[in-house]
Amino acid sequence: MNSDRRPGVLPAAGASGAARRGRPAPSTRATQVLPTGPAGPRGPVGPASTVTPAGSPAARPRAGGHRPPSAPRGADLWTGVPVRTRLLAVLVAVAAAVGIVVVWEVFVATRTGQVIEDYAYDGALTGRTRLWTVAEPVLGVVSVSFVVLGTLAAILVALVRRRWLLAVQALVLVGGANLTTQVLKKIVLERPVFDSEMWWTNSLPSGHTTVAASVSVALLLTVPRLARPWVALFGAGYTAATGISTLVGQWHRPSDVVAAVLVVLFWGALACALTTRDAQDPGPADDRPRKISAPKGSSSAWVLAILGVAGTGAAGVALWALQQTATVVDGSGQPFTSQTELVAYAGGAAGVVAATAVSFGLLLALRQTVARPRSTASRSGQV
């Protein structure tokens, strides 16, 4: 027996007979070092000493194994959206709330504002017979069933996409916007009486416009990323058509419609500010691969450009008409004629288009920003 043999060291496979007789093996031959257990070199090895090669079948996850839950939990619920983006959405919501107050103060709480809108109200008689054939069907769509079906459609889209909290946000947005409109119109805001208009009660904001805008924004929040630009464009067009139709039918004045759009902008921006990880778009770190974004020059940029141009142009027309009408009201311009009513009417319709285009453009930009695809860092709560 060779007394130099150390416990736990065995010659490698293929060692020469000289190595077995105690002579040192050539330096090119490797030796295998076995872990020493309680029973010696050939005894049992503890669990901590077990080593599994990386490529072995045991190291691969088995089919049907545990996967991380897709629903966010705890602090991870709010990860993925930078704080500055949330603050931007809050600022938009605050600006919308301030805008509602300003619109009421200028066009309802002052005699000059009321007279300007009275001109727009009376100007709706121009061409009403022909325009009402188009406006009446548009207003006929807005009903309780439309609110219910539109809201359910937005919720269904969110549930199919497994965005549970987003479905709740859509429901809260529609309910909150329409409840806010009714509370403002019937409880909070009043219409001061000037001259002999005691019969006209407060009608700001417009309920029909709120319904059309809130359902459109709910769909904008819940649909997939690539569909949002087209939903925003269609929703803006439908909302503007509904608002202008209320002017044609003399159901509302322009300030009523603009205030309604601002109410929905407030709730939509607030929903974006409270975006959860559940409402974000899937990213490359998600469990299942999918297309996450469009290339540069995508539909979002085109739709934002269209809404921006429409909003800017309509705002210019509205400001011009407002200035022309105001000079007639305060007596510093030309005397009142039937053309004054037509200019005021056209300016009011342009103001509705401007407010709608700008609001939907802001909401599209906010929604696409807060819903940017999640990254690996956001999934681990590091963003």
Side-chain angles (χ1 to χ4, degrees):
M1 178 180 296
N2 187 354
S3 60
D4 292 336
R5 177 175 294 181
R6 292 174 294 172
V9 180
L10 298 178
S16 64
R20 298 191 188 99
R21 289 191 295 271
R23 292 194 299 270
S27 58
T28 56
R29 302 295 179 88
T31 58
Q32 181 180 9
V33 180
L34 299 178
T36 304
R42 299 183 181 273
V45 180
S49 302
T50 304
V51 179
T52 304
S56 65
R60 304 190 190 105
R62 291 177 295 177
H66 176 70
R67 300 175 71 90
S70 58
R73 300 178 184 274
D76 191 43
L77 183 69
W78 303 101
T79 60
V81 179
V83 175
R84 63 180 178 274
T85 305
R86 296 188 188 275
L87 290 178
L88 179 60
V90 171
L91 289 177
V92 172
V94 172
V98 172
I100 296 171
V101 176
V102 171
V103 168
W104 178 83
E105 286 282 356
V106 172
F107 294 101
V108 180
T110 65
R111 182 184 181 280
T112 301
Q114 286 193 11
V115 173
I116 290 174
E117 288 214 303
D118 285 344
Y119 288 165
Y121 182 82
D122 294 336
L125 294 174
T126 304
R128 182 182 178 185
T129 303
R130 190 179 310 171
L131 293 176
W132 184 242
T133 58
V134 179
E136 186 177 17
V138 174
L139 294 176
V141 173
V142 178
S143 61
V144 175
S145 58
F146 173 80
V147 176
V148 173
L149 293 177
T151 306
L152 288 178
I155 292 175
L156 181 61
V157 171
L159 294 180
V160 169
R161 300 181 63 220
R162 296 186 296 174
R163 304 296 194 265
W164 322 118
L165 296 179
L166 190 57
V168 176
Q169 278 189 331
L171 178 62
V172 171
L173 182 146
V174 175
N178 286 276
L179 180 61
T180 300
T181 288
Q182 297 304 318
V183 170
L184 289 177
K185 178 161 54 178
K186 298 179 179 179
I187 299 176
V188 178
L189 302 179
E190 297 180 352
R191 184 178 180 86
V193 177
F194 299 101
D195 298 331
S196 60
E197 283 195 350
M198 296 186 62
W199 61 272
W200 186 270
T201 59
N202 179 56
S203 58
L204 183 147
S206 165
H208 279 71
T209 307
T210 302
V211 168
S214 60
V215 172
S216 300
V217 173
L219 289 170
L220 172 62
L221 292 181
T222 56
V223 297
R225 188 176 190 87
L226 297 180
R228 286 178 202 138
W230 307 114
V231 172
L233 189 61
F234 176 80
Y238 173 64
T239 301
T242 302
I244 294 176
S245 295
T246 64
L247 303 185
V248 173
Q250 290 186 315
W251 292 9
H252 284 284
R253 291 175 166 87
S255 63
D256 302 343
V257 180
V258 173
V261 174
L262 292 177
V263 167
V264 178
L265 175 61
F266 169 82
W267 280 96
L270 192 62
C272 291
L274 299 177
T275 296
T276 62
R277 181 173 173 270
D278 173 81
Q280 289 184 281
D281 296 326
D286 279 348
D287 294 330
R288 52 191 183 281
R290 59 180 84 177
K291 189 175 182 179
I292 61 174
S293 61
K296 293 182 179 179
S298 65
S299 54
S300 292
W302 284 106
V303 169
L304 286 174
I306 293 172
L307 293 175
V309 171
T312 303
V317 174
L319 291 175
W320 172 82
L322 179 61
Q323 187 271 334
Q324 294 292 317
T325 309
T327 58
V328 174
V329 173
D330 62 20
S332 61
Q334 298 184 7
F336 171 80
T337 62
S338 59
Q339 185 179 358
T340 303
E341 294 177 340
L342 185 59
V343 170
Y345 177 44
V352 170
V353 173
T356 305
V358 171
S359 296
F360 273 82
L362 286 173
L363 290 175
L364 173 60
L366 285 175
R367 182 68 182 109
Q368 295 291 61
T369 302
V370 298
R372 280 175 179 166
R374 296 189 296 268
S375 62
T376 305
S378 66
R379 288 172 59 87
S380 61
Q382 298 176 0
V383 173

